[in-house]
Amino acid sequence: MPSMTSSPAEPGPRQSALSNKITSVLSTSYADPDIREALGMLDQRGLHNSAEARRRLRLDVQKEVMDCNGAIIQDFGQVAEQVRRIGSVIDRLQRTYKEIIVHIDAARQETDSVVTDTNAILSEQDEVKKKQRLLDIVRRHFTLSPELGELLTSTSEPVADRFFAALARVKSIHHDCQILLGYENQRLGLDIMEQSSKTLNGAFEKLYRWTLLEFKTLDVENPRMSSNIRRALRALAERPTLFESCLDFLAEAREQMLSEAFLAALTGASARGEESHGKPIELVAHDPMRYLGDMLAWVHSAAVSERESLEALFLSDGDELAKGVQAGMKNDPWSRSAGGRPEDFNGAQALSSSVNRSLRGVGSILRQRVEQTISGHDDAILAYRIAGLIRFYRSTFQKLLGPDASVLEVLDSGHESALRQFHALMAENVGNLPIDAADIAPDLSVPDFVKEALELLEALMTSYEASYRPGSGSSEETEEDEDGQAVFTAALDPVLARCQELSEGLDDEHASRIFLLNCLLAAKNAVAAHPFAATALAAIDARIDALTPAVIEQQHAFFLHSSGLHPLLVALTPTPHDPNPTTAAALRSSAVFQPAALAAISQQLDHFLASAVLDATENLALLADAKLLRDATDAAAQRFCADFEFVEAQIVAMDDEEEEEKEKEEETKEEETQGLQREEKREPEQEDQERAEAPRVLLRSLFPRTSAEIRVLLS
């Protein structure tokens, strides 16, 4: 039984082991590095897959493992031997180290005092070195070499770049002394500041005297300042008193030089007896315009040169000057304003002030010569041209030097003097104008004195337009307009006023108007071509417009009286005393509407219309302006046509009213006739007499002209 049960059970474990091996082999991953390494080692041995080889493989592997373990054990024995040797070496080193420590402690005890002394000496040496460096810095920064001190104060040394460099060094030392004064011991700072202050004062004094000397040697023709002079003034700006003194001396020196140069240009010889190279200006004194123009041109050229020579100082170096002045005013309380604050330095104002002071002497000479020239000539046109020339240069100088220039006062005085001379001469001419109406020509033409006055006015207006014209909106334009209006005030208005007086002396009112209109029209033609005369032209036009209605009225009256229409118009027009319109019956019974009188008026109208326009033109033949004559005639003709239409309408209305009255009378008679008894017969003779009564005459048949015909004939 046991054998029967065990035999079928034996294949089970074997199959399970086999399946496990198969499963293990199949589940093995050949990507595993260990498997791949093992397979690689098998390939290197070159084994064949056999049972013997597999058995030998296990044994060979085990043998190799044991051999390797034995080699490792042998190697570790050698390592242990080396470790024992190292331990003995370390022990010897520890003993030696302890001995060295003992020796070092003994040496330290012996050298402590020496090291302490050495450290103290080294510390003192470092302090000495620091103080030496500080002393070197102080000497280098706060002291000045004797050579530089001699350069700053000695008058034998020149003022050049080395001087300004030394001056900047001293100013830096003086400024940096404030740092030294911040320490408790201020003696060094005070000593250095005192020494630097003395050096600075000596340097500024030397610089001030050198600058004055250089100002004396400036060239009149080309007063260019060298760079050293400009640097000197920038440096002196820190001393406001010296700076102002330099500017005052410069202005005085330049004033004297320019005055002498101006006199030399005028006369040909300077005050020192030297002859000038150019042609003297006074050689053309016989020509006032050229004489004054040359003088003003010379002054303008001198002003431009002065300004250009000082622009580099006051404008290009203005910021540096302003800084220097501000610094000087802060340090000098006497230079401050009343409020205790330093005043701001304005380079442009300083430039204008310096140039104005330089030209003050030239202005005095110019004022005298201008006054002499103006008072020495009695020509009104020349006086006005001189005023225009001075006005031109005044505008030029104002743009160059500003509105506060002293030269402008001289030019304003000359301009006023020229205009005063002009007005005086024109007033004298007006006093010589005729005052008797008998001097008027019979043809009412413009008198000779008016023509001469207009020629003078034309010359003055031409001179005004040829002069300088400023831009619109400026103050100069106002002065320009005043000078332009002065022409009309002095040359035209008095002449027209005298024409008005002469016209009022004529007995004939119509001739008085024509004469005045001729004078006004001549004046209008003279000023119409000049744009600046718009105001005067408007005034003349206003006076002409005021006289034109009277001329039109005169022409209208000529039309009415010459055509015979005036009686009819008077009869038809209501009067202020009798505003109610007259009835047609009353009008027909008046004398002018009688057939004979109306026929005569119609005949007179026909005769007038044949040459109406020519006759009307002849009526105003003495009027010099053809356009005004034509316009006045046309306006009068229009009024005449309107009057004729009114008369025509009244006549037609009177005829219509007459017809209506006639029809009413006939109807009344017919009714009365029918009311008589039928048996009663009227006498045949009476009926024949009534039928034979003459018919009433229509006014239209006696006055056949129509308004359309009148307009055509008068067009």
Side-chain angles (χ1 to χ4, degrees):
M1 291 297 295
S3 59
M4 292 178 65
T5 58
S6 60
S7 58
E10 289 178 358
R14 293 195 187 108
Q15 292 179 356
S16 175
L18 180 60
S19 62
N20 289 336
K21 288 184 178 182
I22 293 173
T23 302
S24 175
V25 170
L26 293 177
S27 63
T28 301
S29 174
Y30 293 95
D32 189 356
D34 295 336
I35 298 299
R36 293 177 64 182
E37 184 177 2
L39 292 177
M41 293 175 64
L42 290 176
D43 289 339
Q44 292 177 1
R45 290 177 181 274
L47 297 177
H48 299 283
N49 189 11
S50 61
E52 183 65 23
R54 289 193 292 271
R55 285 192 298 271
R56 295 287 301 223
L57 176 62
R58 179 184 295 273
L59 295 175
D60 292 340
V61 171
Q62 290 177 354
K63 183 178 181 301
E64 289 178 1
V65 171
M66 287 185 294
D67 292 339
C68 289
N69 292 334
I72 291 172
I73 292 171
Q74 186 179 357
D75 291 338
F76 271 104
Q78 295 177 359
V79 171
E81 182 63 25
Q82 293 294 333
V83 170
R84 285 192 297 271
R85 290 179 182 178
I86 291 172
S88 63
V89 172
I90 291 174
D91 292 338
R92 288 196 300 270
L93 287 176
Q94 287 179 350
R95 289 193 298 270
T96 303
Y97 174 74
K98 291 179 180 178
E99 293 175 359
I100 291 173
I101 290 299
V102 172
H103 290 296
I104 290 174
D105 292 338
R108 183 183 294 119
Q109 292 176 1
E110 293 177 359
T111 59
D112 280 342
S113 60
V114 177
V115 171
T116 302
D117 296 340
T118 303
N119 291 334
I121 293 172
L122 291 176
S123 299
E124 292 177 359
Q125 183 181 5
D126 291 339
E127 289 294 329
V128 171
K129 289 182 179 180
K130 290 180 181 179
K131 291 180 179 180
Q132 183 65 38
R133 287 196 300 270
L134 181 60
L135 180 60
D136 293 339
I137 293 173
V138 170
R139 285 179 178 178
R140 187 170 56 251
H141 191 78
F142 289 99
T143 60
L144 195 68
S145 64
E147 293 80 6
L148 293 181
E150 183 71 15
L151 177 64
L152 288 174
T153 57
S154 177
T155 56
S156 61
E157 295 291 338
V159 177
D161 293 339
R162 292 181 64 246
F163 175 86
F164 291 107
L167 181 63
R169 174 70 186 281
V170 175
K171 289 193 291 186
S172 176
I173 293 173
H174 186 77
H175 179 269
D176 293 342
C177 285
Q178 298 177 2
I179 299 175
L180 299 178
L181 295 177
Y183 295 98
E184 294 181 0
N185 189 359
Q186 300 179 352
R187 182 174 180 179
L188 176 62
L190 292 174
D191 292 343
I192 295 177
M193 180 171 286
E194 181 180 0
Q195 183 179 1
S196 62
S197 297
K198 291 180 180 180
T199 306
L200 277 178
N201 292 334
F204 279 119
E205 187 67 24
K206 174 185 175 180
L207 191 61
Y208 168 71
R209 296 186 182 280
W210 178 85
T211 303
L212 297 185
L213 183 61
E214 290 295 320
F215 282 161
K216 292 180 180 180
T217 60
L218 286 179
D219 186 10
V220 178
E221 299 295 333
N222 188 19
R224 300 289 181 180
M225 289 189 179
S226 64
S227 59
N228 287 336
I229 296 179
R230 291 164 53 191
R231 293 178 67 180
L233 288 175
R234 291 200 300 268
L236 288 173
E238 298 181 11
R239 294 292 189 270
T241 304
L242 297 180
F243 181 69
E244 291 294 336
S245 180
C246 283
L247 294 184
D248 293 341
F249 182 84
L250 173 62
E252 293 174 0
R254 294 303 300 164
E255 179 181 358
Q256 183 178 358
M257 291 180 185
L258 290 177
S259 299
E260 294 178 357
F262 188 39
L263 288 175
L266 289 174
T267 61
S270 65
R272 302 173 183 176
E274 300 175 356
E275 294 184 359
S276 62
H277 301 288
K279 184 178 179 180
I281 298 176
E282 289 187 347
L283 289 180
V284 295
H286 61 279
D287 185 355
M289 289 296 294
R290 182 178 176 184
Y291 178 53
L292 292 177
D294 290 347
M295 286 194 297
L296 292 171
W298 191 97
V299 176
H300 178 261
S301 176
V304 171
S305 299
E306 284 293 307
R307 184 176 179 85
E308 289 178 352
S309 66
L310 297 177
E311 274 182 350
L313 173 64
F314 290 105
L315 297 184
S316 299
D317 302 336
D319 294 338
E320 297 183 13
L321 286 176
K323 293 178 181 178
V325 171
Q326 292 296 326
M329 289 182 176
K330 288 180 180 178
N331 297 328
D332 186 4
W334 301 104
S335 301
R336 300 183 181 181
S337 60
R341 297 177 55 189
E343 297 180 354
D344 295 333
F345 177 80
N346 191 318
Q349 292 181 359
L351 172 63
S352 299
S353 176
S354 181
V355 175
N356 290 334
R357 293 167 65 183
S358 300
L359 296 175
R360 190 174 300 167
V362 174
S364 300
I365 301 173
L366 180 64
R367 182 195 299 270
Q368 180 182 4
R369 299 304 174 98
V370 170
E371 294 291 342
Q372 290 176 355
T373 303
I374 293 174
S375 60
H377 296 82
D378 295 334
D379 187 354
I381 298 178
L382 177 61
Y384 189 77
R385 291 178 62 193
I386 289 175
L389 177 66
I390 295 176
R391 182 178 61 247
F392 164 73
Y393 273 99
R394 186 196 185 284
S395 174
T396 304
F397 277 107
Q398 182 173 355
K399 293 179 180 178
L400 178 65
L401 304 177
D404 299 328
S406 58
V407 179
L408 297 184
E409 299 179 2
V410 177
L411 296 179
D412 287 339
S413 176
H415 181 258
E416 294 175 0
S417 178
L419 287 181
R420 187 165 53 251
Q421 178 79 351
F422 167 71
H423 286 292
L425 294 174
M426 293 305 300
E428 183 178 353
N429 292 336
V430 171
N432 297 328
L433 296 178
I435 58 175
D436 191 359
D439 296 331
I440 299 177
D443 59 353
L444 304 180
S445 60
V446 179
D448 293 337
F449 76 89
V450 177
K451 296 179 180 178
E452 294 174 358
L454 294 180
E455 292 176 358
L456 176 61
L457 176 64
E458 181 69 25
L460 293 174
M461 290 189 295
T462 303
S463 175
Y464 172 80
E465 290 182 335
S467 62
Y468 168 74
R469 308 299 298 276
S472 61
S474 63
S475 60
E476 299 173 18
E477 185 186 18
T478 304
E479 298 177 1
E480 188 84 0
D481 292 338
E482 292 178 357
D483 289 351
Q485 296 306 317
V487 173
F488 305 107
T489 302
L492 181 61
D493 294 347
V495 175
L496 294 181
R498 186 55 54 89
C499 292
Q500 178 74 32
E501 295 174 1
L502 292 177
S503 66
E504 293 174 356
L506 293 175
D507 296 333
D508 187 357
E509 184 178 356
H510 176 63
S512 173
R513 282 194 299 269
I514 297 299
F515 172 74
L516 185 56
L517 276 174
N518 288 337
C519 295
L520 292 173
L521 291 170
K524 177 181 179 180
N525 294 332
V527 303
H530 302 276
F532 79 95
T535 303
L537 184 62
I540 295 174
D541 286 337
R543 297 184 65 178
I544 293 175
D545 293 341
L547 294 173
T548 301
V551 176
I552 296 174
E553 184 64 30
Q554 177 68 24
Q555 206 58 339
H556 178 233
F558 172 78
F559 273 101
L560 293 178
H561 289 87
S562 299
S563 64
L565 195 66
H566 183 264
L568 296 178
L569 191 64
V570 172
L572 292 174
T573 303
T575 62
H577 303 287
D578 187 13
N580 297 322
T582 309
T583 61
L587 289 174
R588 291 181 66 91
S589 62
S590 61
V592 293
F593 285 100
Q594 296 303 314
L598 191 59
I601 292 174
S602 179
Q603 184 178 3
Q604 182 180 356
L605 177 63
D606 293 340
H607 180 72
F608 167 74
L609 292 175
S611 59
V613 177
L614 294 178
D615 293 342
T617 303
E618 184 66 22
N619 185 52
L620 292 179
L622 298 180
L623 187 61
D625 188 68
K627 183 179 182 303
L628 180 59
L629 189 154
R630 184 171 58 254
D631 293 343
T633 302
D634 291 343
Q638 292 297 327
R639 291 182 59 184
F640 176 77
C641 291
D643 293 338
F644 186 86
E645 289 180 357
F646 173 72
V647 173
E648 180 187 13
Q650 293 296 325
I651 291 177
V652 170
M654 292 169 60
D655 286 344
D656 292 342
E657 186 175 352
E658 179 68 18
E659 290 292 337
E660 292 178 358
E661 291 179 358
K662 183 177 179 181
E663 291 177 359
K664 290 181 180 180
E665 289 179 358
E666 290 179 355
E667 292 177 358
T668 303
K669 288 181 180 180
E670 185 177 354
E671 291 177 357
E672 290 178 355
T673 303
Q674 291 178 358
L676 294 175
Q677 294 180 357
R678 294 183 179 275
E679 66 275 2
E680 184 178 2
K681 295 183 178 180
R682 303 178 64 184
E683 296 180 359
E685 295 82 1
Q686 185 177 359
E687 293 179 0
D688 294 339
Q689 184 178 0
E690 291 178 356
R691 293 194 185 109
E693 286 182 356
R696 297 182 181 180
V697 180
L698 295 177
L699 299 179
R700 193 60 177 161
S701 62
L702 299 175
F703 198 78
R705 288 288 183 183
T706 63
S707 58
E709 295 174 349
I710 297 298
R711 291 188 179 277
V712 171
L713 292 173
L714 294 182
S715 61

